[in-house]
Amino acid sequence: MAAERLYHSAENAIGARCTGLSRAIDSTTNLTDSQQPSPVPGAPNEPVFPEGAHDADIERLFGPGGPLGPAVGGFRPRKSQTEMAKAIADAIAKQQTLIAEAGTGTGKTFAYLVPALLWGGKTIVSTGTKNLQDQLFLRDIPTIRAALQAPVSVALLKGRSNYLCHYHLERTLQNGRMTSREDVGNLREIQRFLKMTSTGDKAELARVPENALIWNLVTSTRENCMGQECQYYQDCFVMKARREAQQADVVVVNHHLFFADVALKDTGVAELLPAANTVIFDEAHQLPDTATLFFGDTVSTSHILELCRDVLAEGLAHARDGAEWAKVVTPVEKAARDLRLTFTQDIVRMSLPQIAPSSDFFPALQTLKDELIDMLAVLEKNAERAETIEQCRVRGNELSAKLEAWKFDPKAKVAPGEEAVYWVEAFQSSLQLHKTPLSIAPIFNGQREGVPRSWIFTSATLAVKNDFTHFAEQMGLENEVARNWPSPFNYEQQGILYVPQGLPDPNSMGYTDAVLDAALPIIEAAGGRTFLLCTTLRAVKRAADRLRDEFDKRGLKFPLFVQGDRGRTELLDQFRKAGNGVLIGSQSFWEGVDVRGDALSLVIIDKLPFAPPDDPVLAARIDVMERKGLNGFMGHTLPEAIINLKQGAGRLIRDEGDRGVLMLCDPRVISKPYGRRIWQSLPPFKRTREAAEVVEFFKGL
C-alpha cells in the first residue's frame, strides 16, 4: 500500500508538471492546441498512449526548425537520433522496457533526455562514471532544459564518499594524525572549502585530487556515519543531496550508486525508486559487471585493519580505562596481515576449491575469526561508553558474520542451491574474500518487479552482430524489446580495419614485441596521433619501454603518454594538446574516452580482450553452462570479448570529419572460425592486410 500511495502521489505531480511542459513545447515549436503532447502515462484518468503518440512532437523538436538547433552548438538533425527518441518516448508512454543500442554519433544522450524531460515523470538517469554523471548534470540536461523551456527540477546524487563530512573533518583536525606535508596542505584546503561549498561534493575542490588519501579521513562510510545522532545532521551534505533528489523531477546517479543500494540500502536510491516512473541506464553494457560486484559479498583484510584503527582511536578517546586498547587490536591486526601472507604472490585470484586443503590459509582464517571475536567481547563491555564505540561493535559483528558465512563444501565448484562462487583475491597489502553470484538476472528482476515503470537500457555496445541475447540473458531481459540504430558515420570512407600479416600466436613469448615491430612503421606514417590499447598492464609497461627506445633511435619526436604516469584526465588533455602524441593504456582507456579531430588517427589493439582464463567467476560460469550442454566459449567468453572490442574500436571515429585506421593485431581474427563473427560486429570499415595500403591512406590525410 505504501508503494501504491507513493506511485499515485507521483502521478499527480507529473500530471501537474505536464501542463507546464505542454506550454513549453508550444512556445518553442509553435504547435497548435490539437498537436499538444498529452500528459505522461499513468496520470489520473488518462488512457495508455497508442504507439507513436509523441512522434509528431519528436519530429518537430529534433527537426530543422526545432528548438534544439539554436540552443545546441553544432547540433545536426539525424534520422537515427529522431527514430531512437520516438522509440524511447513510446517505451515511456507504455511503461515498457527497451534495450537500445545506438552507434557512435547517433546522439543517444539527447535521444533519451528529450522524452525523459517531457514525458518521463519522476526519472532516474544512471550512467557509468562520476565524470559522465557530472557531464549530464552540468552540461547536457541544462542545455536541453533551456532549449525546451521545460520546468523540470534536476538533482545530482553520488555515493557518500563523495561528500565532505562535518563530523569526520572536525575529528581529523582535532586528532592531527597527518603523516605528510601534502596531507597537511590538503586538509587546510578542505577546511577552507567547507566554508564556501553548498554541496560538499569533493569534485568541486580541484586543488585536492579526488584520490588523495586525506579524503578517507574527512568523508563518512555507512559503517562510521553517526546518522541522526550526529550533531551536524541538519547540515549533512549527504542528507541534503538525498533530500534534493527526493524533490527533483530528474535525478542523475551512477551505476555503482544504483546497485550498491540493493545490497546496502544506504545510497538514497531506495527512497527514490518507488516514486520513479522512468529509469534510464546509459552505458548499460557496464551493468552486468557492476551489478555482479554489488549483488555479491566481499570482506577484506583492509576492512578489518580500518576497524582496528577506529577501535584504538575511539577506545582511547572515550574508554581509556576500559581496556588496554593497543593490546586488544594488535592480535587482530596481526591475524589479518598473516592471512594475506599465506599467499606469496603479489597478485592472486583463486577459487576456494583451488586452494590446497593443506594450505596455511585455512588455519590463518580461523585465527582471524577467533581474534576478531575476542576483540568484539571487549567492545561489548564498553559499548555504552560512547556511540562511536557502539558503532565499532556493530561493524565488527557484521565483519565477523561475513567471515563465518564465507564457507561451503570445498569439493563443490559452485555453492549449493545459490549459484555463487567463493574465491579469494590478493593484492600487494590486502586480501579479499568474495562470494559472487553466477547470475544477477533473478536478483535484478526482483528489483524491477512491483510498480509499473519504463526501463531504458542504452549503449553503443550491447549487441554482438545485432544479436542482443548475451546482454539480455545476463540482465534477465530475454523477453524485452531490443532495437539498434546504426551510426550515421560513413565508416567505409572514413577508416580502415587493418589486420597485419605474420604475427605469432598471441600467447607466445615476445608477442608484444612482434606487435610493436608491426606497429612502428604505421605509427610513423600516422605522424604519432596514436592510441595503443593493451589488454594487460604488463604489455603497457613493455610497450612504453620499447617505444621510448625506438623513438630515440629513430629520431621520432612523438610525445609518449603512459597510463600510470599521471591521472587519466591529465594524460588525455596533454595528448590532445600535443597533436602528435602516442598514448599507451589498458582497460581504462578502452571506453569513455572522446578525442575528436586530428589528434587521434590510429588506434592499435594488441590482442582480443578475452577475460583472463584464471578468473574464478568466469570459470564457474562456463562450468555451469557446459554442464547444461551449452558452449561456454561461444555463449559467454566470445560475446564478452566482442563487446569490449567494440568499445576499444569506438575510440577511433568520433565525428563525421574524423578519419583513421583501426589496427587489430590479433591473428585469430583471421585464423579462427569465430573471427568472422568478431569483425562483422565492428564498424563496417574498409578492410586490408597490407601495410602499404595503410601508409598510403595516411599520406592522403
Side-chain angles (χ1 to χ4, degrees):
M1 290 298 293
E4 188 175 348
R5 284 196 298 274
L6 274 168
Y7 182 54
H8 287 301
S9 171
E11 287 179 334
N12 293 329
I14 295 158
R17 185 177 125 209
C18 281
T19 305
L21 287 174
S22 293
R23 295 193 195 104
I25 298 177
D26 190 32
S27 66
T28 56
T29 60
N30 299 316
L31 302 183
T32 65
D33 288 342
S34 63
Q35 295 168 326
Q36 292 299 320
S38 306
V40 298
N45 304 317
E46 285 294 333
V48 174
F49 291 132
E51 186 169 351
H54 296 308
D55 284 5
D57 296 332
I58 294 289
E59 289 280 0
R60 290 179 180 86
L61 291 168
F62 283 90
L68 294 175
V72 184
F75 179 82
R76 292 185 296 273
R78 286 174 173 150
K79 182 179 179 182
S80 55
Q81 184 183 50
T82 304
E83 294 304 313
M84 181 178 176
K86 289 178 185 177
I88 290 173
D90 273 346
I92 289 173
K94 297 175 182 177
Q95 297 176 327
Q96 291 180 341
T97 296
L98 175 66
I99 304 171
E101 183 180 74
T104 305
T106 301
K108 64 179 168 62
T109 304
F110 279 29
Y112 69 71
L113 282 179
V114 168
L117 266 59
L118 291 178
W119 305 293
K122 178 80 173 184
T123 298
I124 299 173
V125 180
S126 179
T127 191
T129 65
K130 286 182 287 186
N131 286 341
L132 290 171
Q133 220 184 329
D134 289 334
Q135 179 181 309
L136 279 171
F137 179 72
L138 298 173
R139 190 186 75 186
D140 296 335
I141 293 177
T143 298
I144 295 175
R145 182 172 58 179
L148 302 179
Q149 299 178 23
V152 177
S153 58
V154 186
L156 180 70
L157 186 60
K158 298 181 180 179
R160 64 165 63 247
S161 64
N162 292 276
Y163 298 100
L164 181 60
C165 172
H166 293 79
Y167 171 77
H168 286 286
L169 174 60
E170 180 182 68
R171 180 182 168 197
T172 300
L173 288 167
Q174 289 173 349
N175 290 346
R177 295 181 296 171
M178 299 301 98
T179 57
S180 70
R181 185 176 299 175
E182 183 182 32
D183 283 345
V184 173
N186 285 340
L187 186 60
R188 196 177 297 120
E189 291 287 352
I190 292 170
Q191 197 174 4
R192 287 196 204 104
F193 175 62
L194 177 63
K195 297 173 183 176
M196 299 181 292
T197 181
S198 62
T199 67
D201 186 346
K202 67 183 186 182
E204 294 176 4
L205 183 55
R207 292 182 182 179
V208 180
E210 284 197 52
N211 58 356
L213 294 176
I214 189 67
W215 286 118
N216 295 331
L217 298 177
V218 297
T219 55
S220 69
T221 65
R222 182 178 69 98
E223 292 81 10
N224 66 23
C225 173
M226 298 285 289
Q228 295 186 30
E229 302 296 321
C230 181
Q231 59 185 310
Y232 297 108
Y233 183 75
Q234 293 304 317
D235 299 317
C236 175
F237 292 122
V238 172
M239 297 313 299
K240 181 182 177 185
R242 292 182 182 179
R243 285 193 297 269
E244 289 176 354
Q246 280 287 325
Q247 296 163 6
D249 298 309
V250 178
V251 185
V252 184
V253 302
N254 61 63
H255 300 338
H256 280 78
L257 184 73
F258 189 95
F259 286 106
D261 183 73
V262 178
L264 304 177
K265 298 291 183 283
D266 181 55
T267 67
V269 175
E271 297 121 14
L272 294 174
L273 193 57
N277 299 84
T278 304
V279 180
I280 299 172
F281 292 105
D282 197 352
E283 303 298 334
H285 65 278
Q286 298 177 3
L287 292 181
D289 286 344
T290 306
T292 297
L293 177 68
F294 286 103
F295 289 164
D297 216 345
T298 295
V299 58
S300 171
T301 55
S302 62
H303 296 156
I304 294 167
L305 292 173
E306 287 166 10
L307 173 66
C308 290
R309 180 196 69 190
D310 292 344
V311 167
L312 180 60
E314 301 304 332
L316 292 174
H318 302 291
R320 186 176 287 270
D321 60 344
E324 293 186 69
W325 292 101
K327 290 184 179 179
V328 170
V329 302
T330 299
V332 183
E333 291 176 328
K334 181 178 185 302
R337 293 191 174 102
D338 286 348
L339 182 65
R340 167 61 190 92
L341 293 174
T342 58
F343 296 97
T344 57
Q345 309 97 311
D346 283 346
I347 304 293
V348 174
R349 290 163 64 90
M350 188 179 292
S351 67
L352 187 51
Q354 290 177 306
I355 304 174
S358 59
S359 169
D360 292 340
F361 168 80
F362 295 104
L365 179 59
Q366 188 59 49
T367 299
L368 177 58
K369 292 177 182 179
D370 295 341
E371 297 293 356
L372 182 57
I373 288 171
D374 290 345
M375 185 174 79
L376 287 172
V378 178
L379 288 171
E380 186 79 42
K381 292 177 183 176
N382 291 275
E384 293 182 357
R385 304 280 292 272
E387 178 64 28
T388 50
I389 295 178
E390 166 62 12
Q391 281 191 328
C392 288
R393 185 193 69 82
V394 171
R395 286 166 61 191
N397 278 331
E398 288 179 359
L399 288 170
S400 180
K402 284 185 177 183
L403 287 174
E404 284 298 329
W406 198 82
K407 59 185 177 182
F408 76 103
D409 179 3
K411 295 178 182 176
K413 291 186 179 181
V414 177
E418 55 185 25
E419 295 252 305
V421 58
Y422 289 72
W423 57 290
V424 300
E425 188 170 22
F427 301 94
Q428 194 163 4
S429 58
S430 68
L431 184 76
Q432 294 183 348
L433 309 180
H434 300 283
K435 175 188 171 186
T436 303
L438 295 186
S439 173
I440 61 166
I443 312 171
F444 186 57
N445 277 333
Q447 174 89 346
R448 293 173 61 231
E449 288 173 354
V451 177
R453 61 176 61 90
S454 57
W455 297 79
I456 311 297
F457 302 84
T458 185
S459 169
T461 55
L462 294 175
V464 176
K465 198 182 168 187
N466 296 323
D467 181 356
F468 291 87
T469 301
H470 180 64
F471 175 78
E473 287 181 346
Q474 285 182 299
M475 299 301 297
L477 306 172
E478 294 95 328
N479 299 317
E480 306 295 356
V481 176
R483 295 187 59 185
N484 171 281
W485 289 271
S487 169
F489 300 154
N490 188 342
Y491 284 109
E492 193 167 352
Q493 294 297 317
Q494 290 180 250
I496 292 177
L497 171 61
Y498 168 49
V499 181
Q501 302 181 55
L503 285 176
D505 183 276
N507 297 315
S508 63
M509 290 288 290
Y511 177 75
T512 300
D513 280 301
V515 167
L516 296 171
D517 289 339
L520 272 162
I522 309 301
I523 294 172
E524 189 169 356
R529 304 187 298 162
T530 298
F531 271 10
L532 172 53
L533 302 180
C534 302
T535 52
T536 65
L537 290 173
R538 182 182 299 172
V540 168
K541 184 178 184 307
R542 176 57 191 153
D545 292 343
R546 171 86 187 277
L547 288 183
R548 205 171 277 118
D549 289 343
E550 293 287 351
F551 289 174
D552 285 343
K553 287 178 190 174
R554 302 177 185 215
L556 299 174
K557 304 298 183 183
F558 302 146
L560 200 58
F561 304 100
V562 183
Q563 178 179 335
D565 286 357
R566 300 178 194 86
R568 188 174 90 148
T569 301
E570 186 180 353
L571 280 175
L572 287 168
D573 286 344
Q574 292 183 346
F575 177 84
R576 289 186 186 99
K577 289 174 185 174
N580 66 337
V582 175
L583 186 149
I584 309 173
S586 64
Q587 189 59 48
S588 64
F589 286 89
W590 283 62
E591 60 180 281
V593 173
D594 191 2
V595 179
R596 301 179 184 220
D598 294 338
L600 178 62
S601 292
L602 173 61
V603 171
I604 303 170
I605 294 176
D606 70 339
K607 63 171 74 171
L608 296 172
F610 288 118
D614 63 344
D615 183 330
V617 180
L618 174 65
R621 283 176 172 159
I622 288 175
D623 182 67
V624 168
M625 289 181 72
E626 292 185 345
R627 279 192 272 130
K628 293 177 180 177
L630 303 172
N631 185 316
F633 178 80
M634 297 300 292
H636 187 86
T637 307
L638 183 61
E640 284 283 293
I642 290 175
I643 287 171
N644 286 336
L645 182 64
K646 286 173 69 175
Q647 279 292 328
R651 299 316 98 210
L652 181 61
I653 304 296
R654 306 297 299 172
D655 199 85
E656 288 171 341
D658 289 350
R659 298 187 71 201
V661 172
L662 173 64
M663 181 174 174
L664 181 53
C665 294
D666 197 315
R668 291 174 292 189
V669 176
I670 305 297
S671 64
K672 297 293 184 182
Y674 57 77
R676 184 180 182 85
R677 193 175 180 199
I678 292 172
W679 59 255
Q680 285 184 338
S681 297
L682 294 173
F685 295 115
K686 180 181 177 182
R687 300 189 298 273
T688 186
R689 302 205 67 194
E690 301 297 332
E693 190 173 342
V694 176
V695 171
E696 198 62 33
F697 174 85
F698 281 120
K699 286 180 181 177
L701 292 188

